[in-house]
PDB file of all heavy atoms in Angstrom:
ATOM      1  N   PRO W  34      -3.112 -64.950   5.578  1.00 94.00           N
ATOM      2  CA  PRO W  34      -2.885 -65.367   6.977  1.00 94.00           C
ATOM      3  C   PRO W  34      -4.085 -65.178   7.908  1.00 94.00           C
ATOM      4  O   PRO W  34      -3.890 -64.854   9.068  1.00 94.00           O
ATOM      5  CB  PRO W  34      -1.739 -64.442   7.387  1.00 94.00           C
ATOM      6  CG  PRO W  34      -2.008 -63.177   6.626  1.00 94.00           C
ATOM      7  CD  PRO W  34      -2.713 -63.556   5.361  1.00 94.00           C
ATOM      8  N   ILE W  37      -5.294 -59.521   6.558  1.00 94.00           N
ATOM      9  CA  ILE W  37      -4.718 -58.955   5.331  1.00 94.00           C
ATOM     10  C   ILE W  37      -3.403 -59.660   5.025  1.00 94.00           C
ATOM     11  O   ILE W  37      -2.555 -59.801   5.908  1.00 94.00           O
ATOM     12  CB  ILE W  37      -4.444 -57.449   5.500  1.00 94.00           C
ATOM     13  CG1 ILE W  37      -5.698 -56.721   5.993  1.00 94.00           C
ATOM     14  CG2 ILE W  37      -3.978 -56.825   4.190  1.00 94.00           C
ATOM     15  CD1 ILE W  37      -5.441 -55.273   6.376  1.00 94.00           C
ATOM     16  N   GLY W  38      -3.216 -60.072   3.798  1.00 97.00           N
ATOM     17  CA  GLY W  38      -1.988 -60.760   3.401  1.00 97.00           C
ATOM     18  C   GLY W  38      -0.757 -59.899   3.609  1.00 97.00           C
ATOM     19  O   GLY W  38      -0.766 -58.709   3.278  1.00 97.00           O
ATOM     20  N   CYS W  39       0.290 -60.507   4.170  1.00 97.00           N
ATOM     21  CA  CYS W  39       1.569 -59.820   4.389  1.00 97.00           C
ATOM     22  C   CYS W  39       2.081 -59.254   3.059  1.00 97.00           C
ATOM     23  O   CYS W  39       2.758 -58.223   3.025  1.00 97.00           O
ATOM     24  CB  CYS W  39       2.612 -60.791   4.927  1.00 97.00           C
ATOM     25  SG  CYS W  39       1.994 -62.036   6.068  1.00 97.00           S
ATOM     26  N   CYS W  42       1.951 -55.481   1.993  1.00 97.00           N
ATOM     27  CA  CYS W  42       2.826 -54.465   2.588  1.00 97.00           C
ATOM     28  C   CYS W  42       4.295 -54.863   2.577  1.00 97.00           C
ATOM     29  O   CYS W  42       5.163 -53.999   2.673  1.00 97.00           O
ATOM     30  CB  CYS W  42       2.398 -54.172   4.017  1.00 97.00           C
ATOM     31  SG  CYS W  42       0.692 -53.582   4.136  1.00 97.00           S
ATOM     32  N   HIS W  43       4.591 -56.143   2.482  1.00 98.00           N
ATOM     33  CA  HIS W  43       5.999 -56.568   2.550  1.00 98.00           C
ATOM     34  C   HIS W  43       6.488 -57.159   1.224  1.00 98.00           C
ATOM     35  O   HIS W  43       7.597 -57.686   1.171  1.00 98.00           O
ATOM     36  CB  HIS W  43       6.198 -57.577   3.685  1.00 98.00           C
ATOM     37  CG  HIS W  43       5.975 -56.989   5.043  1.00 98.00           C
ATOM     38  ND1 HIS W  43       6.865 -56.140   5.653  1.00 98.00           N
ATOM     39  CD2 HIS W  43       4.939 -57.103   5.899  1.00 98.00           C
ATOM     40  CE1 HIS W  43       6.395 -55.770   6.841  1.00 98.00           C
ATOM     41  NE2 HIS W  43       5.214 -56.341   7.013  1.00 98.00           N
ATOM     42  N   ILE W  52       3.720 -49.015   0.424  1.00 96.00           N
ATOM     43  CA  ILE W  52       2.312 -49.133   0.795  1.00 96.00           C
ATOM     44  C   ILE W  52       1.535 -47.923   0.269  1.00 96.00           C
ATOM     45  O   ILE W  52       0.484 -48.054  -0.327  1.00 96.00           O
ATOM     46  CB  ILE W  52       2.133 -49.241   2.331  1.00 96.00           C
ATOM     47  CG1 ILE W  52       2.893 -50.458   2.871  1.00 96.00           C
ATOM     48  CG2 ILE W  52       0.667 -49.334   2.702  1.00 96.00           C
ATOM     49  CD1 ILE W  52       2.977 -50.505   4.392  1.00 96.00           C
ATOM     50  N   LEU W  64       5.254 -44.450   2.609  1.00 96.00           N
ATOM     51  CA  LEU W  64       5.127 -45.416   3.698  1.00 96.00           C
ATOM     52  C   LEU W  64       5.483 -46.782   3.124  1.00 96.00           C
ATOM     53  O   LEU W  64       4.908 -47.207   2.134  1.00 96.00           O
ATOM     54  CB  LEU W  64       3.670 -45.414   4.197  1.00 96.00           C
ATOM     55  CG  LEU W  64       3.293 -46.483   5.222  1.00 96.00           C
ATOM     56  CD1 LEU W  64       4.025 -46.246   6.529  1.00 96.00           C
ATOM     57  CD2 LEU W  64       1.783 -46.459   5.457  1.00 96.00           C
ATOM     58  N   ARG W  65       6.461 -47.424   3.731  1.00 97.00           N
ATOM     59  CA  ARG W  65       6.915 -48.714   3.206  1.00 97.00           C
ATOM     60  C   ARG W  65       6.794 -49.817   4.241  1.00 97.00           C
ATOM     61  O   ARG W  65       6.964 -49.589   5.434  1.00 97.00           O
ATOM     62  CB  ARG W  65       8.388 -48.624   2.784  1.00 97.00           C
ATOM     63  CG  ARG W  65       8.656 -47.671   1.626  1.00 97.00           C
ATOM     64  CD  ARG W  65      10.094 -47.821   1.149  1.00 97.00           C
ATOM     65  NE  ARG W  65      10.332 -49.156   0.617  1.00 97.00           N
ATOM     66  CZ  ARG W  65      10.071 -49.520  -0.634  1.00 97.00           C
ATOM     67  NH1 ARG W  65       9.584 -48.649  -1.483  1.00 97.00           N
ATOM     68  NH2 ARG W  65      10.295 -50.747  -1.039  1.00 97.00           N
ATOM     69  N   GLY W  66       6.512 -51.006   3.774  1.00 97.00           N
ATOM     70  CA  GLY W  66       6.610 -52.187   4.625  1.00 97.00           C
ATOM     71  C   GLY W  66       8.058 -52.627   4.552  1.00 97.00           C
ATOM     72  O   GLY W  66       8.604 -52.751   3.457  1.00 97.00           O
ATOM     73  N   PRO W  67       8.724 -52.836   5.695  1.00 97.00           N
ATOM     74  CA  PRO W  67      10.158 -53.163   5.669  1.00 97.00           C
ATOM     75  C   PRO W  67      10.446 -54.575   5.146  1.00 97.00           C
ATOM     76  O   PRO W  67       9.537 -55.400   5.027  1.00 97.00           O
ATOM     77  CB  PRO W  67      10.568 -53.048   7.138  1.00 97.00           C
ATOM     78  CG  PRO W  67       9.319 -53.276   7.905  1.00 97.00           C
ATOM     79  CD  PRO W  67       8.195 -52.744   7.062  1.00 97.00           C
ATOM     80  N   ASN W  68      11.695 -54.814   4.845  1.00 98.00           N
ATOM     81  CA  ASN W  68      12.174 -56.145   4.465  1.00 98.00           C
ATOM     82  C   ASN W  68      12.065 -57.059   5.690  1.00 98.00           C
ATOM     83  O   ASN W  68      12.600 -56.739   6.747  1.00 98.00           O
ATOM     84  CB  ASN W  68      13.639 -56.016   4.018  1.00 98.00           C
ATOM     85  CG  ASN W  68      14.235 -57.332   3.577  1.00 98.00           C
ATOM     86  OD1 ASN W  68      13.665 -58.403   3.795  1.00 98.00           O
ATOM     87  ND2 ASN W  68      15.389 -57.260   2.961  1.00 98.00           N
ATOM     88  N   ILE W  69      11.372 -58.157   5.557  1.00 98.00           N
ATOM     89  CA  ILE W  69      11.227 -59.070   6.697  1.00 98.00           C
ATOM     90  C   ILE W  69      11.782 -60.452   6.376  1.00 98.00           C
ATOM     91  O   ILE W  69      11.437 -61.443   7.018  1.00 98.00           O
ATOM     92  CB  ILE W  69       9.757 -59.184   7.178  1.00 98.00           C
ATOM     93  CG1 ILE W  69       8.834 -59.556   6.020  1.00 98.00           C
ATOM     94  CG2 ILE W  69       9.306 -57.912   7.846  1.00 98.00           C
ATOM     95  CD1 ILE W  69       7.471 -60.074   6.475  1.00 98.00           C
ATOM     96  N   LYS W  72      14.051 -63.191   9.184  1.00 97.00           N
ATOM     97  CA  LYS W  72      13.789 -62.849  10.590  1.00 97.00           C
ATOM     98  C   LYS W  72      13.708 -64.164  11.381  1.00 97.00           C
ATOM     99  O   LYS W  72      13.263 -65.176  10.850  1.00 97.00           O
ATOM    100  CB  LYS W  72      12.444 -62.134  10.718  1.00 97.00           C
ATOM    101  CG  LYS W  72      12.425 -60.757  10.112  1.00 97.00           C
ATOM    102  CD  LYS W  72      12.719 -59.719  11.149  1.00 97.00           C
ATOM    103  CE  LYS W  72      12.900 -58.357  10.516  1.00 97.00           C
ATOM    104  NZ  LYS W  72      13.827 -57.518  11.270  1.00 97.00           N
ATOM    105  N   ASP W  76      11.493 -63.051  16.462  1.00 97.00           N
ATOM    106  CA  ASP W  76      11.211 -61.697  15.960  1.00 97.00           C
ATOM    107  C   ASP W  76       9.858 -61.635  15.267  1.00 97.00           C
ATOM    108  O   ASP W  76       9.103 -60.674  15.428  1.00 97.00           O
ATOM    109  CB  ASP W  76      12.292 -61.251  14.967  1.00 97.00           C
ATOM    110  CG  ASP W  76      13.566 -60.820  15.674  1.00 97.00           C
ATOM    111  OD1 ASP W  76      13.510 -60.591  16.901  1.00 97.00           O
ATOM    112  OD2 ASP W  76      14.607 -60.720  14.994  1.00 97.00           O
ATOM    113  N   LEU W  77       9.555 -62.670  14.479  1.00 97.00           N
ATOM    114  CA  LEU W  77       8.269 -62.703  13.779  1.00 97.00           C
ATOM    115  C   LEU W  77       7.133 -62.692  14.791  1.00 97.00           C
ATOM    116  O   LEU W  77       6.183 -61.929  14.674  1.00 97.00           O
ATOM    117  CB  LEU W  77       8.148 -63.958  12.913  1.00 97.00           C
ATOM    118  CG  LEU W  77       8.798 -63.926  11.534  1.00 97.00           C
ATOM    119  CD1 LEU W  77       8.591 -65.247  10.828  1.00 97.00           C
ATOM    120  CD2 LEU W  77       8.212 -62.804  10.693  1.00 97.00           C
ATOM    121  N   SER W  80       6.524 -59.270  16.390  1.00 96.00           N
ATOM    122  CA  SER W  80       5.843 -58.308  15.517  1.00 96.00           C
ATOM    123  C   SER W  80       4.397 -58.682  15.264  1.00 96.00           C
ATOM    124  O   SER W  80       3.533 -57.814  15.178  1.00 96.00           O
ATOM    125  CB  SER W  80       6.557 -58.212  14.171  1.00 96.00           C
ATOM    126  OG  SER W  80       7.844 -57.748  14.357  1.00 96.00           O
ATOM    127  N   LEU W  81       4.125 -59.973  15.130  1.00 96.00           N
ATOM    128  CA  LEU W  81       2.769 -60.384  14.779  1.00 96.00           C
ATOM    129  C   LEU W  81       1.778 -60.139  15.915  1.00 96.00           C
ATOM    130  O   LEU W  81       0.634 -59.782  15.683  1.00 96.00           O
ATOM    131  CB  LEU W  81       2.752 -61.865  14.394  1.00 96.00           C
ATOM    132  CG  LEU W  81       3.423 -62.186  13.058  1.00 96.00           C
ATOM    133  CD1 LEU W  81       3.576 -63.676  12.863  1.00 96.00           C
ATOM    134  CD2 LEU W  81       2.626 -61.585  11.914  1.00 96.00           C
ATOM    135  N   LYS W  83       2.120 -57.932  18.362  1.00 94.00           N
ATOM    136  CA  LYS W  83       2.161 -56.548  18.859  1.00 94.00           C
ATOM    137  C   LYS W  83       1.102 -55.672  18.180  1.00 94.00           C
ATOM    138  O   LYS W  83       0.647 -55.975  17.091  1.00 94.00           O
ATOM    139  CB  LYS W  83       3.552 -56.006  18.503  1.00 94.00           C
ATOM    140  CG  LYS W  83       3.987 -54.800  19.279  1.00 94.00           C
ATOM    141  CD  LYS W  83       5.434 -54.468  18.932  1.00 94.00           C
ATOM    142  CE  LYS W  83       5.502 -53.094  18.297  1.00 94.00           C
ATOM    143  NZ  LYS W  83       6.857 -52.764  17.847  1.00 94.00           N
ATOM    144  N   HIS W  85       0.525 -52.368  16.209  1.00 94.00           N
ATOM    145  CA  HIS W  85       1.311 -51.401  15.433  1.00 94.00           C
ATOM    146  C   HIS W  85       0.388 -50.266  15.000  1.00 94.00           C
ATOM    147  O   HIS W  85      -0.824 -50.369  15.127  1.00 94.00           O
ATOM    148  CB  HIS W  85       1.850 -52.041  14.151  1.00 94.00           C
ATOM    149  CG  HIS W  85       2.754 -53.217  14.365  1.00 94.00           C
ATOM    150  ND1 HIS W  85       4.115 -53.113  14.377  1.00 94.00           N
ATOM    151  CD2 HIS W  85       2.468 -54.531  14.538  1.00 94.00           C
ATOM    152  CE1 HIS W  85       4.641 -54.323  14.554  1.00 94.00           C
ATOM    153  NE2 HIS W  85       3.670 -55.196  14.660  1.00 94.00           N
ATOM    154  N   LYS W  86       0.997 -49.237  14.401  1.00 93.00           N
ATOM    155  CA  LYS W  86       0.184 -48.164  13.843  1.00 93.00           C
ATOM    156  C   LYS W  86      -0.394 -48.577  12.500  1.00 93.00           C
ATOM    157  O   LYS W  86      -1.538 -48.286  12.188  1.00 93.00           O
ATOM    158  CB  LYS W  86       1.043 -46.909  13.646  1.00 93.00           C
ATOM    159  CG  LYS W  86       1.292 -46.169  14.944  1.00 93.00           C
ATOM    160  CD  LYS W  86       1.849 -44.781  14.655  1.00 93.00           C
ATOM    161  CE  LYS W  86       2.372 -44.133  15.906  1.00 93.00           C
ATOM    162  NZ  LYS W  86       3.654 -43.475  15.681  1.00 93.00           N
ATOM    163  N   VAL W  87       0.414 -49.219  11.689  1.00 94.00           N
ATOM    164  CA  VAL W  87      -0.023 -49.566  10.331  1.00 94.00           C
ATOM    165  C   VAL W  87      -0.329 -51.059  10.205  1.00 94.00           C
ATOM    166  O   VAL W  87      -1.372 -51.450   9.696  1.00 94.00           O
ATOM    167  CB  VAL W  87       1.079 -49.183   9.299  1.00 94.00           C
ATOM    168  CG1 VAL W  87       0.658 -49.614   7.891  1.00 94.00           C
ATOM    169  CG2 VAL W  87       1.365 -47.701   9.343  1.00 94.00           C
ATOM    170  N   MET W  88       0.591 -51.854  10.676  1.00 95.00           N
ATOM    171  CA  MET W  88       0.435 -53.303  10.518  1.00 95.00           C
ATOM    172  C   MET W  88      -0.615 -53.870  11.478  1.00 95.00           C
ATOM    173  O   MET W  88      -0.643 -53.501  12.645  1.00 95.00           O
ATOM    174  CB  MET W  88       1.791 -53.966  10.788  1.00 95.00           C
ATOM    175  CG  MET W  88       1.756 -55.451  10.661  1.00 95.00           C
ATOM    176  SD  MET W  88       3.420 -56.113  10.726  1.00 95.00           S
ATOM    177  CE  MET W  88       3.083 -57.673  11.496  1.00 95.00           C
ATOM    178  N   PRO W  89      -1.491 -54.728  10.979  1.00 95.00           N
ATOM    179  CA  PRO W  89      -2.493 -55.323  11.877  1.00 95.00           C
ATOM    180  C   PRO W  89      -1.862 -56.333  12.848  1.00 95.00           C
ATOM    181  O   PRO W  89      -0.741 -56.771  12.638  1.00 95.00           O
ATOM    182  CB  PRO W  89      -3.454 -56.041  10.930  1.00 95.00           C
ATOM    183  CG  PRO W  89      -2.868 -56.016   9.574  1.00 95.00           C
ATOM    184  CD  PRO W  89      -1.625 -55.200   9.596  1.00 95.00           C
ATOM    185  N   TYR W  91      -1.890 -60.116  14.343  1.00 95.00           N
ATOM    186  CA  TYR W  91      -2.303 -61.425  13.828  1.00 95.00           C
ATOM    187  C   TYR W  91      -2.350 -62.439  14.958  1.00 95.00           C
ATOM    188  O   TYR W  91      -1.628 -62.324  15.934  1.00 95.00           O
ATOM    189  CB  TYR W  91      -1.314 -61.907  12.764  1.00 95.00           C
ATOM    190  CG  TYR W  91      -1.385 -61.112  11.481  1.00 95.00           C
ATOM    191  CD1 TYR W  91      -0.614 -59.975  11.326  1.00 95.00           C
ATOM    192  CD2 TYR W  91      -2.216 -61.495  10.438  1.00 95.00           C
ATOM    193  CE1 TYR W  91      -0.671 -59.225  10.151  1.00 95.00           C
ATOM    194  CE2 TYR W  91      -2.282 -60.760   9.268  1.00 95.00           C
ATOM    195  CZ  TYR W  91      -1.504 -59.629   9.135  1.00 95.00           C
ATOM    196  OH  TYR W  91      -1.570 -58.902   7.977  1.00 95.00           O
ATOM    197  N   LEU W  93      -1.677 -66.088  14.951  1.00 96.00           N
ATOM    198  CA  LEU W  93      -1.245 -67.293  14.250  1.00 96.00           C
ATOM    199  C   LEU W  93      -0.635 -68.266  15.249  1.00 96.00           C
ATOM    200  O   LEU W  93      -0.091 -67.858  16.276  1.00 96.00           O
ATOM    201  CB  LEU W  93      -0.224 -66.923  13.168  1.00 96.00           C
ATOM    202  CG  LEU W  93      -0.752 -66.002  12.049  1.00 96.00           C
ATOM    203  CD1 LEU W  93       0.375 -65.514  11.159  1.00 96.00           C
ATOM    204  CD2 LEU W  93      -1.801 -66.708  11.208  1.00 96.00           C
ATOM    205  N   LEU W 101       5.866 -69.614   8.161  1.00 97.00           N
ATOM    206  CA  LEU W 101       6.123 -68.279   7.621  1.00 97.00           C
ATOM    207  C   LEU W 101       7.616 -67.975   7.635  1.00 97.00           C
ATOM    208  O   LEU W 101       8.172 -67.495   6.647  1.00 97.00           O
ATOM    209  CB  LEU W 101       5.410 -67.219   8.481  1.00 97.00           C
ATOM    210  CG  LEU W 101       3.996 -66.811   8.097  1.00 97.00           C
ATOM    211  CD1 LEU W 101       3.461 -65.822   9.114  1.00 97.00           C
ATOM    212  CD2 LEU W 101       3.951 -66.198   6.705  1.00 97.00           C
ATOM    213  N   LEU W 105      10.056 -67.231   4.499  1.00 97.00           N
ATOM    214  CA  LEU W 105      10.774 -65.958   4.410  1.00 97.00           C
ATOM    215  C   LEU W 105      12.289 -66.121   4.462  1.00 97.00           C
ATOM    216  O   LEU W 105      13.018 -65.163   4.244  1.00 97.00           O
ATOM    217  CB  LEU W 105      10.301 -65.008   5.517  1.00 97.00           C
ATOM    218  CG  LEU W 105       8.871 -64.475   5.335  1.00 97.00           C
ATOM    219  CD1 LEU W 105       8.387 -63.773   6.589  1.00 97.00           C
ATOM    220  CD2 LEU W 105       8.782 -63.542   4.133  1.00 97.00           C
TER     221      LEU W 105
HETATM  222  C1  HEC A 201      -1.072 -53.031   6.257  1.00 78.98           C
HETATM  223  C2  HEC A 201       0.317 -53.308   5.985  1.00 78.98           C
HETATM  224  C3  HEC A 201       1.008 -54.510   6.635  1.00 78.98           C
HETATM  225  C4  HEC A 201       0.596 -55.829   6.645  1.00 78.98           C
HETATM  226  C5  HEC A 201      -0.661 -56.408   6.029  1.00 78.98           C
HETATM  227  C6  HEC A 201       1.630 -56.573   7.334  1.00 78.98           C
HETATM  228  N1  HEC A 201       2.626 -55.731   7.739  1.00 78.98           N
HETATM  229 FE1  HEC A 201       4.299 -56.251   8.776  1.00 78.98          FE
HETATM  230  N2  HEC A 201       4.809 -54.274   8.922  1.00 78.98           N
HETATM  231  C7  HEC A 201       4.173 -53.212   8.296  1.00 78.98           C
HETATM  232  C8  HEC A 201       4.854 -51.957   8.617  1.00 78.98           C
HETATM  233  C9  HEC A 201       4.466 -50.575   8.117  1.00 78.98           C
HETATM  234  C10 HEC A 201       5.933 -52.311   9.472  1.00 78.98           C
HETATM  235  C11 HEC A 201       6.988 -51.380  10.120  1.00 78.98           C
HETATM  236  C12 HEC A 201       6.419 -50.432  11.097  1.00 78.98           C
HETATM  237  C13 HEC A 201       5.658 -51.114  12.201  1.00 78.98           C
HETATM  238  O1  HEC A 201       6.255 -51.798  13.030  1.00 78.98           O
HETATM  239  O2  HEC A 201       4.418 -50.944  12.188  1.00 78.98           O
HETATM  240  C14 HEC A 201       5.870 -53.767   9.640  1.00 78.98           C
HETATM  241  C15 HEC A 201       6.758 -54.505  10.410  1.00 78.98           C
HETATM  242  C16 HEC A 201       6.847 -55.886  10.395  1.00 78.98           C
HETATM  243  C17 HEC A 201       7.897 -56.643  11.044  1.00 78.98           C
HETATM  244  C18 HEC A 201       9.055 -56.057  11.846  1.00 78.98           C
HETATM  245  C19 HEC A 201      10.163 -55.699  10.910  1.00 78.98           C
HETATM  246  C20 HEC A 201      11.368 -55.151  11.633  1.00 78.98           C
HETATM  247  O3  HEC A 201      12.429 -55.068  10.990  1.00 78.98           O
HETATM  248  O4  HEC A 201      11.268 -54.800  12.801  1.00 78.98           O
HETATM  249  C21 HEC A 201       7.663 -57.960  10.785  1.00 78.98           C
HETATM  250  C22 HEC A 201       8.504 -59.153  11.240  1.00 78.98           C
HETATM  251  C23 HEC A 201       6.443 -58.024   9.990  1.00 78.98           C
HETATM  252  N3  HEC A 201       5.980 -56.748   9.778  1.00 78.98           N
HETATM  253  C24 HEC A 201       5.863 -59.203   9.525  1.00 78.98           C
HETATM  254  C25 HEC A 201       4.616 -59.288   8.906  1.00 78.98           C
HETATM  255  C26 HEC A 201       3.940 -60.525   8.562  1.00 78.98           C
HETATM  256  C27 HEC A 201       4.545 -61.931   8.718  1.00 78.98           C
HETATM  257  C28 HEC A 201       2.730 -60.172   8.051  1.00 78.98           C
HETATM  258  C29 HEC A 201       1.594 -61.088   7.650  1.00 78.98           C
HETATM  259  C30 HEC A 201       1.159 -62.107   8.599  1.00 78.98           C
HETATM  260  C31 HEC A 201       2.666 -58.713   8.031  1.00 78.98           C
HETATM  261  N4  HEC A 201       3.815 -58.222   8.560  1.00 78.98           N
HETATM  262  C32 HEC A 201       1.604 -57.962   7.546  1.00 78.98           C
HETATM  263  C33 HEC A 201       3.050 -53.309   7.511  1.00 78.98           C
HETATM  264  C34 HEC A 201       2.289 -54.457   7.327  1.00 78.98           C
END
Side-chain angles (χ1 to χ4, degrees):
I37 308 171
C39 324
C42 301
H43 294 286
I52 301 170
L64 173 66
R65 295 189 64 85
N68 181 348
I69 54 163
K72 291 266 172 210
D76 283 345
L77 277 180
S80 298
L81 289 170
K83 199 174 118 184
H85 300 264
K86 283 194 192 136
V87 177
M88 180 171 148
Y91 290 89
L93 297 171
L101 269 177
L105 290 169

